[in-house]
Amino acid sequence: QVQLVESGGGLVQPGGSLRLSCTTSGTTVDDEHIGWYRQAPGKEREGIACISRIEGRTYYVDSVKGRFSISRDNAKNTVYLQMDSLQPEDTAVYYCAIKPRGCAGRANRWGQGTQVTVSA
């Protein structure tokens, strides 16, 4: 059974950094398209980054481009989201998910989420 587990969330001051981890079981990260999503209070869930299977091509939504970086460690079966220059509007629950039809497609398996709060 495929499972995803996020970790690394927490409270950070504006301008700070966090690194989220998404560890998978039942599959390998280099054989999946894996995306990061977030959902802020009162808002819809949005996809913010994705890394493609095998080639590891990366994609970002404009609001995080240049500040966030997605990567993976095949040996640890983990995908990371490095978040720098965090702002209060980045406050949200962050999820990783598997996207079976590519980074442009929908996700069908989700982790439980990890809370990120950016506040002074």
Side-chain angles (χ1 to χ4, degrees):
Q1 184 176 357
V2 175
Q3 291 186 322
L4 303 92
V5 178
E6 302 96 335
S7 61
L11 173 64
V12 64
Q13 293 186 341
S17 298
L18 281 176
R19 188 178 76 161
L20 306 183
S21 299
C22 171
T23 301
T24 68
S25 58
T27 187
T28 56
V29 292
D30 57 337
D31 201 35
E32 303 283 0
H33 308 283
I34 295 180
W36 281 98
Y37 292 74
R38 67 184 180 186
Q39 187 166 20
K43 295 188 177 181
E44 292 187 355
R45 189 177 300 188
E46 64 167 339
I48 58 173
C50 186
I51 185 165
S52 69
R53 65 187 293 265
I54 303 176
E55 294 91 351
R57 293 178 181 174
T58 58
Y59 305 89
Y60 302 92
V61 68
D62 285 347
S63 60
V64 307
K65 200 173 294 184
R67 300 189 299 124
F68 292 9
S69 177
I70 188 171
S71 62
R72 69 182 180 217
D73 184 331
N74 295 341
K76 295 183 178 180
N77 219 26
T78 298
V79 171
Y80 300 101
L81 185 68
Q82 177 67 40
M83 306 187 296
D84 298 322
S85 302
L86 283 162
Q87 299 302 319
E89 53 266 33
D90 296 314
T91 295
V93 179
Y94 284 70
Y95 303 87
C96 61
I98 290 173
K99 309 179 75 170
R101 299 195 177 194
C103 282
R106 293 186 177 184
N108 70 346
R109 294 187 185 274
W110 299 84
Q112 83 288 351
T114 186
Q115 176 72 46
V116 172
T117 302
V118 185
S119 175

